[in-house]
Amino acid sequence: MKLFIKKPIAQLMAASAATEKTLKRTLGVGSLIALGIGAIIGAGIFVRTAAAAGEHAGPAVTISFLIAASGCALAGLCYAEFASMIPIAGSAYTYSYATMGEFIAWIIGWDLVLEYALGAATVSIGWSQYFNEFLHTFFNVHIPYQWAHSFFETSNTTTGMYAAELGTRGVVNLPAILILFLLTLLLIKGTAESAVVNNIIVVVKVAIVLMIIGLGWHYINPALHTPYMIPADAGTVKVSTGVINYGDTFNHGWLGVLRGASVVFFAFIGFDAVSTAAQEAKNPQKDMPKGILVSLVICTALYILFSHVLTGLVSYKEFLIQGKEASVTYAIKAAMGPSYHWLANLVTVSILAGFSSVILVMLMGQTRVFYTMSTDGLIPKIFSKLHPKYQTPYKSQWLFFGFVSIFAGFIPDRIVGDMVSIGTLFAFVLVCFGIMILRNTDPNLVRPFKTPIYYIVCPLGALICLGMIASEGWENWARLIVWLLIGFIVYFGYSIKRSHVRKGKVEPADGPINPKYVE
């Protein structure tokens, strides 16, 4: 039994050529950069920034972003080499299949569920928070706390829309499930976002971030940045899910900053979603590396400036209490005064649109990976079954809607977001190792883009990502291990017996998804 049987790169490229007539190469480098920015700027900057600052890093969350960005940049160089060399849908799963074999590819594919599916769940929870803020701001109504929060959360705010519901326990997050349902319908029917619409949303989101940085800079209170890192004697804060003790190992100082990096790492996961569009790029050999790396650089700069401003407007502790619901709008209203309420309102509206595009990209990326795994025979055919009219993987979309809704509706965002981060970091480590392996096992492959000084970049990228993984709490390690064990059961009980590569099959029966319907 060969666990590490590889899918020949020649076979991958042949499959790509065979599907050229169906797959339309319509995305230029500008659209790929916009796709990356559209996926990256979302819940990470508007939700996870406040969570990382409030729980672990304080104002030093800017350093957390630098650490996370450095790991992503190094892994991004590895992704860029893979994407230019193997411009095939499937992202890290496909890359691993060609370099490290089927078993590692299975782990990656199974692990990517934590990135894309649970990423969509995390963003939908953030969407729910801002949707309630939108209702409260424009219509002076809001969805009761118990119907907009998970069972594991209890209201602890004394101001704002939930002031009268102090102590109320959540039941289910209905708005989060609603947006998942609507976007699932959109993807199934085939009227998903076009590149033009996505570009418009990206411009709006970036403009809002720049306005917050530019206008908010004048309202920064330097005292809030001192001390820059959370001290060990900062005390405790009661939050909706329990108590945060800053004396804990990873809740203060440099270790808190490192833990914060693993939290805000969620903010960067969108850049690798660009690689899932490799078969739709006009010139993947040149455009894919640019799309991945340029979007990453732009977003990193915005994140650092944004987090510096945000932590200078209100105390990091307030993000855990009064600012829990829509932290950015809270900070603007609290620090900049009534004259800038228009900015807070604009942020709320733009974030709703921006979050929707992120969820759409995440759901699309997940079905793409599972579609590829299904056509390889590793998971049931239902995941590659196409709608007779729309040519979209409609059954897969409905299954993932149910799966993602469970997490979005019943699990707090901090737990779901942490699961996304640890799963993605693990995938990045394997991608870094994949480049090192392929450089040694097949040095003569045509590489339109080469990772510079790979013998340093690859191990350093893996090391930084492993460092962030090490800072995760034991609860996240336990969740990852349990998830992987479930995956092993599926692989050895089902996948290994039905693998197309093991049987010598090349082409899937149903053919590829038409990107016209899932861009």
Side-chain angles (χ1 to χ4, degrees), residues 41 45-46 205-220 298-310 313 328 332 336 340 343 347:
I41 294 183
I45 191 169
F46 294 116
K205 285 194 292 187
V206 173
I208 292 297
V209 171
L210 289 174
M211 276 197 291
I212 293 173
I213 294 172
L215 296 175
W217 198 274
H218 302 288
Y219 290 85
I220 292 176
I298 292 173
C299 291
T300 299
L302 291 176
Y303 280 178
I304 292 173
L305 293 173
F306 181 88
S307 59
H308 179 74
V309 171
L310 194 65
L313 295 180
V328 177
I332 293 173
M336 299 173 66
Y340 282 99
L343 179 59
V347 166

Side-chain angles (χ1 to χ4, degrees), residues 81-301:
E81 178 170 330
F82 269 132
S84 66
M85 182 174 55
I86 313 174
I88 307 295
S91 187
Y93 161 76
T94 301
Y95 308 154
S96 300
Y97 214 154
T99 59
M100 292 178 283
E102 185 177 273
F103 182 61
I104 300 299
W106 167 264
I107 294 175
I108 286 284
W110 189 253
D111 190 58
L112 285 176
V113 177
L114 295 179
E115 176 178 351
Y116 290 126
L118 297 193
T122 303
V123 181
S124 68
I125 295 171
W127 187 95
S128 172
Q129 295 175 355
Y130 280 93
F131 180 66
N132 238 340
E133 184 70 24
F134 170 80
L135 293 178
H136 180 68
T137 299
F138 291 96
F139 303 102
N140 198 29
V141 297
H142 68 272
I143 299 172
Y145 187 92
Q146 64 265 36
W147 303 117
H149 293 80
S150 82
F151 175 77
F152 298 97
E153 295 179 282
T154 302
S155 177
N156 67 327
T157 181
T158 57
T159 63
M161 72 182 86
Y162 290 131
E165 299 180 59
L166 182 64
T168 300
R169 193 180 189 89
V171 176
V172 60
N173 195 330
L174 292 179
I177 296 177
L178 173 64
I179 188 61
L180 288 171
F181 176 75
L182 294 176
L183 293 179
T184 295
L185 286 179
L186 208 59
L187 286 170
I188 290 174
K189 195 171 182 180
T191 53
E193 62 177 355
S194 67
V196 174
V197 173
N198 182 65
N199 290 351
I200 294 173
I201 293 176
V202 168
V203 170
V204 171
K205 285 194 292 187
V206 173
I208 292 297
V209 171
L210 289 174
M211 276 197 291
I212 293 173
I213 294 172
L215 296 175
W217 198 274
H218 302 288
Y219 290 85
I220 292 176
N221 181 358
L224 295 176
H225 286 156
T226 304
Y228 205 57
M229 295 183 187
I230 297 176
D233 60 355
T236 61
V237 176
K238 185 178 180 181
V239 297
S240 61
T241 54
V243 175
I244 297 296
N245 183 358
Y246 291 117
D248 290 347
T249 304
F250 288 102
N251 288 348
H252 67 272
W254 277 105
L255 290 180
V257 171
L258 182 61
R259 178 71 178 90
S262 70
V263 173
V264 300
F265 177 82
F266 176 89
F268 292 99
I269 66 172
F271 86 86
D272 67 312
V274 178
S275 65
T276 67
Q279 282 182 270
E280 289 83 75
K282 292 179 181 179
N283 189 349
Q285 285 73 19
K286 293 183 178 180
D287 293 348
M288 291 305 297
K290 292 179 182 178
I292 291 172
L293 297 177
V294 173
S295 62
L296 180 60
V297 169
I298 292 173
C299 291
T300 299

Side-chain angles (χ1 to χ4, degrees), residues 333-394:
K333 291 179 179 180
M336 299 173 66
S339 60
Y340 282 99
H341 279 197
W342 63 269
L343 179 59
N345 298 340
L346 186 61
V347 166
T348 299
V349 174
S350 64
I351 285 176
L352 286 175
F355 277 18
S356 298
S357 70
V358 174
I359 297 169
L360 201 64
V361 171
M362 292 294 179
L363 291 177
M364 182 194 75
Q366 178 56 68
T367 54
R368 278 299 184 87
V369 173
F370 261 44
Y371 172 85
T372 305
M373 294 177 70
S374 178
T375 57
D376 285 336
L378 300 185
I379 56 177
K381 291 183 179 180
I382 190 173
F383 290 100
S384 58
K385 189 69 175 178
L386 305 183
H387 193 284
K389 180 179 180 181
Y390 302 119
Q391 289 295 293
T392 56
Y394 66 110

Side-chain angles (χ1 to χ4, degrees), residues 431-486:
V431 167
C432 290
F433 283 143
I435 288 295
M436 293 184 64
I437 292 172
L438 198 58
R439 285 291 188 97
N440 287 279
T441 59
D442 207 338
N444 297 320
L445 275 174
V446 176
R447 293 175 169 85
F449 175 86
K450 288 187 176 182
T451 302
I453 50 176
Y454 78 95
Y455 47 85
I456 295 178
V457 169
C458 296
L460 185 58
L463 184 63
I464 292 175
C465 291
L466 285 172
M468 286 187 278
I469 290 176
S471 72
E472 296 277 3
W474 67 267
E475 301 96 334
N476 290 317
W477 276 97
R479 295 183 195 114
L480 178 62
I481 292 172
V482 170
W483 179 249
L484 290 177
L485 288 176
I486 295 173

